[in-house]
Amino acid sequence: MLCSVGGGVRQGLGTRTGKGTMVSFASITAKVEAGERITDQEALFLLGSNDLLAIGELAASVNEKKNGDRVFFNVNRHINHTNICVNRCRFCAFSKTADDPGAYLYSLQEIEDRAREAFGQGATEIHIVGGLHPDLPFGFYQEMLWRVKSVSADLHVKAFTAVEIEYLARIAGLSISATLQALKDAGLGSLPGGGAEIFSERVRNILCPEKISGPKWLEIMEEAHLAGLKTNATMLYGHLESHEERVDHMRRLRELQDRTGGFQVFIPLAFQPENSALQLENSRGTTGVDDLKTLAVARIYLDNFANIKAYWVMLGEKIAQVSLAFGVNDLDGTVVEEKIGHDAGATSPQAMTRDDITTLIRKAGRVPVERDTLYNELRRY
């Protein structure tokens, strides 16, 4: 038996692994309740199950042990400084060439002004990611960090995906570790988790062959952790990948986290097919069931991650709210002016206020907790 749901008892039918071992909800639940790590095969069993409520309840119990009834958010602002990019990944609706309609590049003053405005509105974090611009020198990125930090030393700068770090190292003629140190010296506080997409070489060769490989992404994140920088981790799902490839992606993250402990949060990102070139090939996108199941299985499988985030920008506010009953304990933040997800077709608002987020969390029966980027509690509501 798994657990009681709505007064009844859910009992999953088992399946045999290649080694003849029986996998069932009962066996998985027993392992989780004993504090044991589930296997890839058990994660696949959960992803293939139609018993969404049972999976959610198990994930919720795991999350309650880790985080109680707290749900984190922060007051932040995204600054996507340019959409001009030398890569033209087929799933991406954000990137443009310099002569495309809608191509843009913020000046350093515009970036500083946006950071100053955000700080005045109570932001504690500036989140900066953008395209791989063909003409900007490394010094531009250093000065961008200096300008944001000049607004306030207390303003945390989370910036540059692993893909951007590799590109900056190339244009600077530096090693990855030296690049990270130079950016730290300029004010970099942590890294977001973008660019991971799916580590599967098969899928990556279709989605983004120009991008760094999955192993390279992991290598850069390990370098960041060794340099004392905390990072996020993501997975783009709902396009061309299989369940096996999702689990493989999470396994590699779990293994790196075992070595470094440098990941702060895992963020599954729901693929937005509306404005992607992959739309022409009938890429499926995600459903609410798929979103909730993916979040819940991530909570169960990634036992060495403290936090699982539902990125409301891509999921929408309602699914993000429901996810709080499926093992999620973080909703990101106020965001403001997010471009990447919305260019891809996200229909969520561009921003949520502090009151919006706290109300959403309270109505889900949880306690809103404002945090900083490094997950220090700032205020409980």
Side-chain angles (χ1 to χ4, degrees), residues 4-259:
S4 173
V5 179
V9 174
R10 295 192 176 270
Q11 203 166 4
L13 295 175
T15 185
R16 290 195 181 277
T17 69
K19 297 180 180 180
T21 305
M22 179 66 75
V23 175
S24 66
F25 270 121
S27 65
I28 294 171
T29 301
K31 288 183 73 172
V32 171
E33 289 179 348
E36 297 176 19
R37 172 168 283 183
I38 72 167
T39 65
D40 291 10
Q41 194 65 38
E42 288 164 333
L44 283 170
F45 174 88
L46 294 175
L47 284 172
S49 169
N50 291 322
D51 201 340
L52 181 63
L53 295 182
I55 299 167
E57 188 167 14
L58 183 57
S61 70
V62 172
N63 179 59
E64 185 177 7
K65 290 176 183 176
K66 288 181 177 288
N67 297 297
D69 58 2
R70 300 174 303 166
V71 174
F72 289 117
F73 73 96
N74 69 341
V75 180
N76 64 346
R77 179 161 183 171
H78 284 214
I79 300 178
N80 303 128
H81 55 285
T82 184
N83 61 354
I84 299 170
C85 188
V86 298
N87 286 352
R88 299 307 302 271
C89 302
R90 297 179 66 203
F91 72 91
C92 180
F94 175 69
S95 68
K96 297 186 181 297
T97 59
D99 56 356
D100 280 342
Y104 73 89
L105 168 64
Y106 293 156
S107 69
L108 289 165
Q109 188 59 54
E110 286 176 306
I111 294 165
E112 181 182 336
D113 289 345
R114 282 170 164 78
R116 195 171 300 281
E117 179 184 48
F119 184 69
Q121 295 168 342
T124 59
E125 171 191 289
I126 300 297
H127 178 131
I128 300 174
V129 297
L132 309 181
H133 197 288
D135 302 320
L136 295 177
F138 185 61
F140 176 93
Y141 300 92
Q142 291 174 296
E143 187 170 353
M144 177 164 60
L145 294 170
W146 291 329
R147 291 282 196 108
V148 173
K149 291 297 287 186
S150 74
V151 172
S152 172
D154 295 330
L155 199 54
H156 183 102
V157 186
K158 181 172 70 181
F160 311 132
T161 66
V163 177
E164 290 173 274
I165 294 296
E166 190 274 340
Y167 183 72
L168 295 181
R170 279 193 280 130
I171 65 175
L174 298 172
S175 66
I176 296 296
S177 60
T179 300
L180 289 167
Q181 188 57 55
L183 294 171
K184 276 185 70 176
D185 292 343
L188 180 65
S190 64
L191 271 63
E197 319 315 354
I198 282 282
F199 294 144
S200 162
E201 184 178 3
R202 177 191 75 84
V203 178
R204 217 169 179 86
N205 284 339
I206 300 170
L207 287 184
C208 51
E210 306 97 331
K211 243 176 200 175
I212 60 174
S213 67
K216 187 66 176 179
W217 187 95
L218 291 161
E219 177 189 324
I220 291 169
M221 285 302 187
E222 186 161 10
E223 290 267 18
H225 298 168
L226 294 175
L229 291 165
K230 294 293 187 180
T231 76
N232 295 348
T234 63
M235 176 180 72
L236 185 70
Y237 68 98
H239 39 83
L240 306 171
E241 86 291 352
S242 65
H243 282 174
E244 287 81 4
E245 286 162 330
R246 290 190 198 180
V247 173
D248 170 74
H249 185 101
M250 290 191 290
R251 176 185 53 77
R252 297 196 221 185
L253 292 174
R254 191 168 74 172
E255 289 172 352
L256 178 54
Q257 182 75 332
D258 278 342
R259 294 198 301 274

Side-chain angles (χ1 to χ4, degrees), residues 331-344:
L331 290 182
D332 203 278
T334 51
V335 179
V336 183
E337 199 189 4
E338 194 278 343
K339 293 180 180 293
I340 296 173
H342 286 90
D343 282 356

